[in-house]
Amino acid sequence: MNDRPSLDRDELAHLCDKPGLAPLAVEVLWHAARAESPVAYLHEVLSAVRSTTGGEYAALVTAVADRWVPAHHSGSPRPLPVDLLADALDQDAAGCRGGWVVVPLALRGSK
């Protein structure tokens, strides 16, 4: 049995609506094939996300003991939008507020 998450055609169709993200998608995949470690991969990918979006900070965050903690980041650290993070997790959906964009990496209902 395959435990890897997969995207169906409807989910992939949303990517076709955003052709400007194609170079970022290629870069993310390129780094996945070339990175020497997961940490090196996250460093390169978060830097690419920040650069492509024009953001000042990009982070992969996790909840630890009822706190949001950056596991990896790119840019100058800043206070995280904890309410937005909680809302995105509760709603299993991306959210935007006050210059922040939050996207859950995995939905709670997925394996």
Side-chain angles (χ1 to χ4, degrees):
M1 184 162 136
N2 187 351
D3 290 335
R4 290 183 299 165
S6 62
L7 294 173
D8 63 30
R9 288 191 180 273
D10 291 336
E11 291 171 315
L12 290 174
H14 293 294
L15 296 176
C16 294
D17 295 336
K18 313 237 180 335
L21 293 178
L24 176 60
V26 169
E27 188 170 353
V28 166
L29 293 172
W30 185 83
H31 285 298
R34 312 233 347 143
E36 294 182 19
S37 69
V39 171
Y41 173 72
L42 286 170
H43 173 75
E44 295 298 332
V45 168
L46 290 174
S47 293
V49 167
R50 189 170 54 85
S51 175
T52 299
T53 62
E56 297 174 7
Y57 184 63
L60 173 65
V61 299
T62 186
V64 176
D66 296 328
R67 285 188 8 206
W68 291 102
V69 178
H72 300 280
H73 71 271
S74 174
S76 299
R78 52 204 58 209
L80 298 170
V82 294
D83 291 340
L84 181 58
L85 289 164
D87 289 347
L89 191 60
D90 288 344
Q91 297 169 13
D92 278 342
C96 302
R97 191 180 310 143
W100 287 92
V101 177
V102 173
V103 180
L105 292 182
L107 301 178
R108 286 182 285 171
S110 65
K111 293 183 179 186

